[in-house]
Amino acid sequence: AARNGLTLQDVKLDPGGGAVITAEHSAPPGDDSAPLPGDYAAISAAAGTGRQTVVGYYDGKNAPKAEPGDKRTYARDSSGEVVAEIWLKNSGECLITNSRGTFELEPDGTFVINGLRITPDGNATTAAGVSLDGHSHAQGPDSDGNSQTATNPPTGL
């Protein structure tokens, strides 16, 4: 809907015991989120006679996980199941997760990608415990029959 030169999104609500109402969806700048059917809405009077605005929603299907001081944002599929989340924890940890993997920035600056840990000094260790620090591979002759020396980890990390 367009009102006073602004593009607004209206939502239809059934407050119970009467007619379905239309209210303006409102959210903080930069938050482009729409509710799903079945979400509960908190409404308030809006500017203009008889207008109302939704000031927040409650997802009645998924229990909250955030602790005091956390900020957690998540996306849901059409059935309401959480499919992706960004969770900023009060410990300083930042976590991004979907059904295929996880990105995590730990409070000490260690970056973890699906179990691969990269420390602030650049050392990388896999979930299987393989580390670039002191890790080498024996290498046989190449396709021309030239013998090769063992490979070593990168230096200067």
Side-chain angles (χ1 to χ4, degrees):
R3 287 186 203 77
N4 300 324
L6 299 173
T7 302
L8 303 173
Q9 182 180 18
D10 285 338
V11 292
K12 295 193 180 295
L13 306 164
D14 182 357
V20 171
I21 63 170
T22 299
E24 294 173 353
H25 166 81
S26 62
D31 184 346
D32 184 11
S33 305
L36 287 175
D39 286 350
Y40 294 91
I43 58 175
S44 181
T49 305
R51 301 251 359 119
Q52 295 184 335
T53 187
V54 179
V55 295
Y57 298 93
Y58 177 73
D59 172 5
K61 182 173 185 172
N62 298 290
K65 294 181 181 179
E67 298 291 327
D70 289 1
K71 173 72 173 177
R72 180 173 171 255
T73 302
Y74 58 92
R76 301 170 290 163
D77 63 17
S78 60
S79 69
E81 295 297 320
V82 174
V83 293
E85 72 178 288
I86 299 172
W87 193 347
L88 308 176
K89 297 186 176 187
N90 62 23
S91 65
E93 178 183 8
C94 304
L95 184 65
I96 301 172
T97 306
N98 71 9
S99 62
R100 297 190 172 229
T102 301
F103 291 98
E104 179 180 358
L105 182 60
E106 295 180 341
D108 70 354
T110 298
F111 188 53
V112 183
I113 308 167
N114 295 333
L116 171 68
R117 301 178 61 79
I118 304 170
T119 60
D121 64 1
N123 186 39
T125 305
T126 69
V130 177
S131 175
L132 284 179
D133 187 19
H135 183 79
S136 63
H137 289 267
Q139 185 172 339
D142 63 17
S143 59
D144 287 331
N146 298 321
S147 61
Q148 305 280 315
T149 59
T151 60
N152 291 309
T155 59
L157 294 179

